[in-house]
């Protein structure tokens, strides 16, 4: 791994003070290559906190542009970047935050073909998309590439986060669960409205996105207990967190 420069030692000093992270953990962050699907409500805090944490390479996958209605929750963008590609707007913000972070921009949709071409170049996948087809595609692609996946979702006032490593065995010797063990199939078309139809409280995406960034840091550095086989649920109106465990289905 590349050594940390004097400027990096100063920048990440509060991380390095933590015995669980230290200089070695910071070098792991510097060596990490993280692909983030979506530079929107969830992707914004994910990208900001991972860039600030010193992740060496961030790949941003988003084929959308910045619109005025995004700014209520997609805080990596601002009024001055209206009309720009989200990947470009996010890259500019990250460059201002941490010039040590390398940005790769992909202005296309994430699907099986895209994943086959680009995902093997990365060490971690984070899914901040807002549709079920991309979530299932991300889960399938990450399992095939044997890349950990941090995935999150939000509703109007609630959200969820989990971590997937279905290609690895847990302490019990059994394979970790898949995304389909948690959500066997997507809901019928139109049953779950998108935020453009139902609305979403902006700060909620910050809560869930920041939790996703924290899980990514844990996975990269090997500290703590990532949410593998556990779904973290947040109810914003009740200010309550709950966690449920889920397992690999028999024969799956």
């Amino acid at each position: 791994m590349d050594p940390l420069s004097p400027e990096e030692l100063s920048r990440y000093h509060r991380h390095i003070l933590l015995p669980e992270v230290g200089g070695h953990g910071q070098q792991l962050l510097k060596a990490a290559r993280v692909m983030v699907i979506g530079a929107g409500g969830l992707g914004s805090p994910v990208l900001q906190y991972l860039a600030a944490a010193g992740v060496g390479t961030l790949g941003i996958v988003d084929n959308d542009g910045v619109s005025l209605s995004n700014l209520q929750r997609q805080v990596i963008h601002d009024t001055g970047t209206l009309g720009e590609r989200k990947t470009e707007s996010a890259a500019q913000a990250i460059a201002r935050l941490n010039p040590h972070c390398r940005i790769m921009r992909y202005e296309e949709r994430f699907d099986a073909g895209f994943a086959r071409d680009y995902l093997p170049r990365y060490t971690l996948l984070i899914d901040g998309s807002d549709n079920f087809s991309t979530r299932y595609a991300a889960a399938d692609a990450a399992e095939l590439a044997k890349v950990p996946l941090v995935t999150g979702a939000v509703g109007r006032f609630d959200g969820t986060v989990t971590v997937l490593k279905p290609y690895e065995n847990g302490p019990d010797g059994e394979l970790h669960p898949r995304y389909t063990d948690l959500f066997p199939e997507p809901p019928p078309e139109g049953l779950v409205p998108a935020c453009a139809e139902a609305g979403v409280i902006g700060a909620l995406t910050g809560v869930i996105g920041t939790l996703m960034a924290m899980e990514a840091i844990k996975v990269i550095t090997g500290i703590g207990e990532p949410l593998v086989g556990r779904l973290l649920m947040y109810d914003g109106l009740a200010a309550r967190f709950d966690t449920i465990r889920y397992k690999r289905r028999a024969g799956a």
Side-chain angles (χ1 to χ4, degrees):
M1 291 184 293
D2 292 336
L4 301 173
S5 68
E7 197 276 341
E8 288 174 308
L9 289 171
S10 179
R11 178 182 287 268
Y12 308 125
H13 184 236
R14 300 301 190 275
H15 273 179
I16 295 169
L17 286 175
L18 297 167
E20 296 84 353
V21 179
H24 178 68
Q26 194 60 52
Q27 285 180 293
L28 290 172
L29 288 165
K30 182 176 180 177
R33 297 176 57 88
V34 179
M35 176 179 284
V36 180
I37 305 173
L42 295 175
S44 288
V46 166
L47 290 165
Q48 288 170 315
Y49 273 104
L50 293 188
V55 168
T57 302
L58 287 169
I60 309 173
V61 187
D62 199 309
N63 66 342
D64 202 3
V66 181
S67 64
L68 189 59
S69 63
N70 297 151
L71 302 186
Q72 161 257 13
R73 65 200 177 281
Q74 300 181 17
V75 294
I76 202 167
H77 313 297
D78 57 54
T79 305
T81 62
L82 288 174
E84 290 186 9
R85 307 304 299 178
K86 285 185 179 179
T87 56
E88 174 60 24
S89 174
Q92 292 173 16
I94 291 168
R96 291 191 295 270
L97 177 62
N98 188 352
H100 298 284
C101 185
R102 181 186 182 205
I103 303 299
M104 306 297 293
R105 296 168 49 199
Y106 304 100
E107 292 171 358
E108 49 192 296
R109 291 188 66 84
F110 185 97
D111 58 20
F114 174 88
R116 185 171 53 252
D117 292 339
Y118 296 105
L119 186 55
R121 306 177 189 180
Y122 290 84
T123 55
L124 176 65
L125 178 63
I126 300 181
D127 180 17
S129 64
D130 61 358
N131 64 87
F132 287 100
S133 62
T134 303
R135 290 171 191 158
Y136 281 89
D140 290 343
E143 180 176 4
L144 183 63
K146 293 183 169 54
V147 171
L149 170 65
V150 178
T151 182
V154 293
R156 296 166 63 243
F157 295 98
D158 59 270
T160 60
V161 183
T162 193
V163 177
L164 295 160
K165 289 186 175 183
Y167 50 86
E168 286 186 359
N169 294 90
D172 59 0
E174 300 294 324
L175 284 168
H176 288 308
R178 295 182 167 117
Y179 189 72
T180 50
D181 293 311
L182 184 59
F183 302 109
E185 57 186 28
E189 189 74 25
L191 181 63
V192 180
C195 72
E197 304 167 40
V200 61
I201 194 76
L204 172 69
T205 62
V207 173
I208 301 301
T210 303
L211 289 168
M212 293 168 69
M214 183 64 197
E215 290 302 300
I217 290 170
K218 287 160 59 181
V219 170
I220 293 167
T221 58
I223 65 174
E225 184 183 353
L227 288 167
V228 178
R230 295 184 294 149
L231 180 70
L232 180 65
M233 302 178 292
Y234 173 64
D235 181 337
L237 291 181
R240 184 177 66 234
F241 285 95
D242 296 293
T243 306
I244 62 169
R245 292 187 177 274
Y246 61 100
K247 295 183 177 181
R248 188 90 163 216
R249 287 180 294 161

